[in-house]
Amino acid sequence: MPIPSLFRLLRLALQHHQQRRDYRHLLKLDEHLLADIGLTREQIQQELAKPFSAGLRLNLRCSQMLSQRHTALDTRH
């Protein structure tokens, strides 16, 4: 795996960890505060239930799409 790919994977893992930490903090808020920011406990629980691999698959699909676009643009020039 090339070094930039490792950095992207590490960055994605760190983002996932930070998001989970933020969601856990949101769960500590009372119902009125959650309503003020437009979230429900169920939405937060759903986000916490998502595995790391879900974000990784999305990130990989986006990366593949971008590289395909760059390749297509390069062949035009």
Side-chain angles (χ1 to χ4, degrees), residues 1-10:
M1 187 179 280
I3 295 297
S5 296
L6 288 174
F7 285 127
R8 280 194 295 260
L9 183 61
L10 181 59

Side-chain angles (χ1 to χ4, degrees), residues 26-36 41:
L26 286 172
L27 282 176
K28 294 178 184 178
L29 298 178
D30 65 25
E31 299 300 323
H32 293 95
L33 289 173
L34 287 175
D36 285 346
R41 291 200 186 283

Side-chain angles (χ1 to χ4, degrees), residues 13-60:
L14 181 59
Q15 287 172 344
H16 179 76
H17 173 73
Q18 290 171 338
Q19 287 174 341
R20 291 182 63 78
R21 183 191 63 214
D22 292 343
Y23 286 130
R24 285 191 299 269
H25 285 293
L26 286 172
L27 282 176
K28 294 178 184 178
L29 298 178
D30 65 25
E31 299 300 323
H32 293 95
L33 289 173
L34 287 175
D36 285 346
I37 59 175
L39 289 175
T40 64
R41 291 200 186 283
E42 292 77 24
Q43 290 171 315
I44 297 168
Q45 292 288 0
Q46 288 173 354
E47 289 299 317
L48 282 170
K50 290 181 182 178
F52 171 74
S53 60
L56 180 60
R57 284 192 303 267
L58 176 62
N59 190 298
L60 290 175

